[in-house]
Amino acid sequence: MIAFTRRFLCHGVVLAGAIALCGCGNPQSEAAAHRIGNPSRGAALISWYGCGTCHSVPGVPGANALVGPPLDHFAQRGYIAGMLRNSPDNLVRWIRDPQKIVPGNAMPALGIDDHDARDIAAYLYTIE
């Protein structure tokens, strides 16, 4: 009986550790998103700037286009536009002026200021 209890306890500790670590693998967690900007405002700005005209964006009503890439699982992606490491600073730069980073790409420069870009980025990092 003692061996069974130890084995059960050991498996329980391992399982609890695995569950605890599941949320730690992604640095762009919900808490990190709030440090970048305001995710709720970001969702509204995605609608305001018309991002859903080209992208599908989970959680944003009407953002279901497929001209640009779908933005589902954005927080888990390794790259932005296939060439920039996925980091908050790079994402804000990309949102503000994608033509400066990759001239001639299909994403237009919409005149998004730093504050709005940070809020949009914060929302995108909530999409796991």
Side-chain angles (χ1 to χ4, degrees), residues 5-98:
T5 304
R6 281 187 180 157
R7 191 172 7 166
F8 181 76
L9 181 60
C10 182
H11 283 96
V13 169
V14 168
L15 180 60
I19 290 170
L21 288 175
C22 284
C24 297
N26 184 0
Q28 283 90 1
S29 66
E30 187 83 24
H34 282 281
R35 286 191 297 271
I36 299 164
N38 181 334
S40 296
R41 186 171 179 272
L45 289 169
I46 287 170
S47 290
W48 172 257
Y49 282 107
C51 303
T53 303
C54 294
H55 298 281
S56 65
V57 186
V60 177
N64 53 14
L66 297 175
V67 175
L71 300 179
D72 55 321
H73 307 290
F74 188 86
Q76 298 175 13
R77 295 184 182 189
Y79 291 92
I80 300 163
M83 61 184 323
L84 294 174
R85 188 176 62 81
N86 189 353
S87 72
D89 288 338
N90 283 341
L91 180 56
V92 169
R93 285 179 40 227
W94 175 257
I95 291 169
R96 290 199 64 199
D97 196 355

Side-chain angles (χ1 to χ4, degrees), residues 3 32 98 124-125:
L124 292 176
Y125 283 128

